[in-house]
Amino acid sequence: MRALSTWIVASLALLLCLPAGVPGAEPGGPTAPGSEAVTHVIVRFAADVSTRERADMRARADVERDATLPVRGLDLVDPEPGVSVGAAVADLERMDGVVYAEPDGIVRQAATPNDPLLSYEWNLTAIRAPEAWDVTTGSAQVTVGVVDTGIDATHPDLAPNLWANPGESGGGRETNGLDDDGNGRIDDVHGWDFVSRDGQPQDGNGHGTHVSGTIAARGNDAIGVAGLNWSSALMPLRVLGDDGSGFVSDAITAYAYAARNGARVLNASLGGSRFSRAEHDALAAAPNTLFVVAAGNDGADNDATPEYPCDYDLANVVCVAASGHDDALASFSNYGPANVDLAAPGVDIASTWPGGRYALLDGTSMATPHVAGAAALLLAHDGTLTVAGLRAALLSSVQPVAALAGRVATGGRLDVAAALSAPPAPPAPPPVRAAGAPPVAAPTAAASAVDRTAPGVSLRIDRGTLRTIRVRGLRLALGASEACRARIDVGIDARSARRLHLSSRTIGRASTRLGAAGHKVVTVRISERVARALRSVARLRVVAHAVAVDIAGNQRRTERAATLRR
């Protein structure tokens, strides 16, 4: 590999999703430095609400439809002049038939310090990429979506690996000004720019170009650096402007674009402290795509202070912390034995930079593409792997690190060679013995190692008052016999829902993870709309349902009921 010719030392890090307002902002118009004020609302209508009813509800809330987002029932709406975003959200939330409404959140990039340049690609050696390359160096048939600031399409280390849209390629279709593949976007040859609304997702920031190089900078070409994949296809999806800011609605649309165009893996260095039901639903609507996301750069515990999408309880999300040269957690990296899955190198990471240059950066954003790149290598070796298989292979094969125990769910750092050499096999069907045949032999140790046992799970409701539930949420004690993800839904009976004029029987839900066997207190918060309805109730019977899923995909359900009084 040729020596790196030009270095840029920059302070780039995790892209933060901050839908909340900043001091001084009007209630309906939160802003972020360098970004426009939020002027739109994301609303999801119930499945049984007709088109005419939706139009009537929009008119009553004084909003107009701006776009249909790629999740069933999800719209982007624009409040009429004089109507704030906050007022529009409140009006929509009060209507029967509206599942939820929320401001179109702002996403932006925040800076973290960069350490001095110490080496070139120590990170690839640390995760045993050279050993993995003895098996595969990647495949152009595997597409990785990069939701970020775009990609420098002219960079010599990236240009050969850009994804080409087959519906817009060949015969002059690249520049004919027509929507040849009928997806509503003209000349989206190499992805899409959701900021400028065109087919040129060029990077004016640098972050997306750096992330992309770690995933799939061209290898063995005597130029610059080598990515984890030497030839995988990079799909640039620009949702952040040159200042690193953008909107959740654009990210949601980019997720759907990637999934529909065959991206089996998506790198999303996006995160923030506010739960977005719209983003959650968009990720859930793409179950065949593995979303690899960053843990965050605040040095904080995500289990105590949630970061999203890291903390979404979804089977197609993997959350990555950053480790340093010594494999210990980087000082800036977030962590969480329940909600952060594994660590990967995120300090002094050498990768591509706009203008044919290279940069050395720190951040969980730099750690995340190592795992996305490893997932793409696994798919290049075995294209039949499911999302569950990919996730299990990545997490079950980590290199255990004492300093990471109790900090991430697996207690380890990515080991791509181990993941590649021992992907999990699907459970074998039970053997069938023909009449007169000798007894079936006992299973071998390897066969016995396949985990088919669901985790034990327990649930207890803290019998607080209805007033406590309205203000602080419902507290529950969750127990499990092994490390697992868990989702808890709290509901009421249909009669009570009708009496309270609620469109759904579910009044709250929460997701969490347990890094090992034990117990954890989980708080399920309810919306303001439900809280207002509960003020008129003297007592209410609630039922909490919990579903726990272990790393092998085995799941067990349990439920508990309690009567709460005023």
Side-chain angles (χ1 to χ4, degrees):
M1 180 178 68
R2 193 168 66 188
L4 305 180
S5 57
T6 306
W7 290 94
I8 300 174
V9 181
S11 297
L12 302 176
L14 177 69
L15 310 177
L16 299 180
C17 171
L18 297 175
V22 297
E26 293 184 6
T31 60
S35 73
E36 299 177 357
V38 170
T39 59
H40 289 74
V41 172
I42 300 174
V43 55
R44 186 167 192 181
F45 295 99
D48 59 354
V49 175
S50 69
T51 301
R52 185 172 182 176
E53 288 171 327
R54 291 186 192 184
D56 178 64
M57 294 161 74
R58 289 194 297 267
R60 285 157 48 202
D62 295 322
V63 300
E64 296 181 354
R65 187 174 65 179
D66 184 87
T68 299
L69 298 176
V71 174
R72 186 179 182 185
L74 205 62
D75 282 349
L76 184 68
V77 298
D78 185 13
E80 294 178 358
V83 179
S84 71
V85 167
V89 168
D91 286 345
L92 288 165
E93 280 274 311
R94 283 193 287 267
M95 295 180 184
D96 290 336
V98 170
V99 181
Y100 57 81
E102 62 188 27
D104 182 10
I106 295 172
V107 289
R108 68 178 176 85
Q109 180 177 333
T112 56
N114 228 347
D115 289 339
L117 308 178
L118 300 176
S119 61
Y120 290 168
E121 293 184 280
W122 70 272
N123 45 304
L124 298 183
T125 302
I127 63 173
R128 299 207 299 148
E131 292 90 335
W133 290 335
D134 288 338
V135 180
T136 180
T137 57
S139 168
Q141 304 305 310
V142 177
T143 300
V144 181
V146 183
V147 173
D148 215 291
T149 61
I151 295 177
D152 178 7
T154 65
H155 198 294
D157 244 356
L158 299 176
N161 286 350
L162 284 181
W163 170 76
N165 183 352
E168 295 282 353
S169 304
R173 289 183 293 178
E174 295 86 351
T175 57
N176 64 6
L178 300 175
D179 179 14
D180 295 294
D181 59 0
N183 69 354
R185 297 177 173 84
I186 296 173
D187 294 338
D188 54 326
V189 184
H190 298 300
W192 190 253
D193 186 334
F194 293 89
V195 178
S196 299
R197 304 293 192 264
D198 60 35
Q200 303 295 324
Q202 188 67 14
D203 186 6
N205 177 286
H207 189 271
T209 296
H210 194 277
V211 164
S212 299
T214 300
I215 297 170
R218 193 74 168 184
N220 198 32
D221 61 353
I223 297 176
V225 297
L228 268 163
N229 297 265
W230 297 359
S231 58
S232 292
L234 291 164
M235 179 190 291
L237 304 165
R238 182 172 180 253
V239 302
L240 301 156
D242 292 351
D243 64 352
S245 299
F247 293 96
V248 169
S249 55
D250 288 333
I252 288 171
T253 311
Y255 298 155
Y257 180 97
R260 289 172 182 171
N261 284 281
R264 297 286 311 279
V265 180
L266 190 143
N267 191 98
S269 292
L270 299 164
S273 59
R274 177 168 294 186
F275 179 93
S276 168
R277 293 184 65 179
E279 184 181 35
H280 173 280
D281 292 349
L283 297 174
N288 295 320
T289 298
L290 182 70
F291 291 85
V292 186
V293 304
N297 296 331
D298 300 315
D301 183 352
N302 284 8
D303 295 354
T305 307
E307 284 284 323
Y308 301 102
C310 174
D311 283 31
Y312 289 139
D313 180 29
L314 294 170
N316 59 338
V317 172
V318 170
C319 182
V320 187
S323 56
H325 291 268
D326 58 358
D327 274 344
L329 195 75
S331 61
F332 56 81
S333 179
N334 288 6
Y335 56 92
N339 291 307
V340 181
D341 292 303
L342 77 168
V347 175
D348 297 330
I349 305 302
S351 190
T352 45
W353 192 256
R357 296 172 292 178
Y358 299 85
L360 195 72
L361 305 183
D362 297 346
T364 53
S365 287
M366 283 65 252
T368 303
H370 288 81
V371 178
L377 275 181
L378 287 169
L379 286 171
H381 182 56
D382 182 1
T384 67
L385 280 172
T386 63
V387 164
L390 274 176
R391 193 174 187 282
L394 292 166
L395 302 188
S396 65
S397 61
V398 297
Q399 179 65 41
V401 177
L404 295 175
R407 308 286 271 179
V408 296
T410 59
R413 186 256 306 135
L414 173 69
D415 186 334
V416 63
L420 191 61
S421 62
V432 177
R433 182 164 63 95
V440 178
T444 63
S448 299
V450 177
D451 181 7
R452 300 185 181 90
T453 303
V457 59
S458 63
L459 191 64
R460 180 175 58 81
I461 297 177
D462 181 358
R463 293 174 179 266
T465 66
L466 282 171
R467 182 181 182 281
T468 302
I469 304 308
R470 294 199 311 268
V471 176
R472 300 177 185 174
L474 179 65
R475 286 167 54 92
L476 307 102
L478 176 71
S481 62
E482 60 179 299
C484 63
R485 291 171 175 256
R487 171 171 172 164
I488 300 172
D489 290 274
V490 176
I492 58 179
D493 61 84
R495 181 179 179 182
S496 295
R498 288 193 300 271
R499 179 163 51 91
L500 296 172
H501 304 289
L502 299 176
S503 59
S504 173
R505 292 175 56 186
T506 300
I507 62 171
R509 57 169 51 98
S511 300
T512 188
R513 302 183 198 180
L514 279 75
H519 291 79
K520 182 177 184 179
V521 175
V522 181
T523 300
V524 179
R525 301 192 181 278
I526 62 177
S527 70
E528 292 183 9
R529 180 183 181 185
V530 174
R532 288 194 301 268
L534 294 183
R535 289 173 183 168
S536 62
V537 177
R539 69 175 189 173
L540 184 71
R541 184 171 178 79
V542 298
V543 180
H545 301 267
V547 180
V549 184
D550 65 17
I551 194 172
N554 304 301
Q555 65 176 258
R556 190 182 300 277
R557 300 171 180 268
T558 190
E559 68 177 50
R560 287 293 182 272
T563 299
L564 308 176
R565 292 178 171 79
R566 185 181 295 170

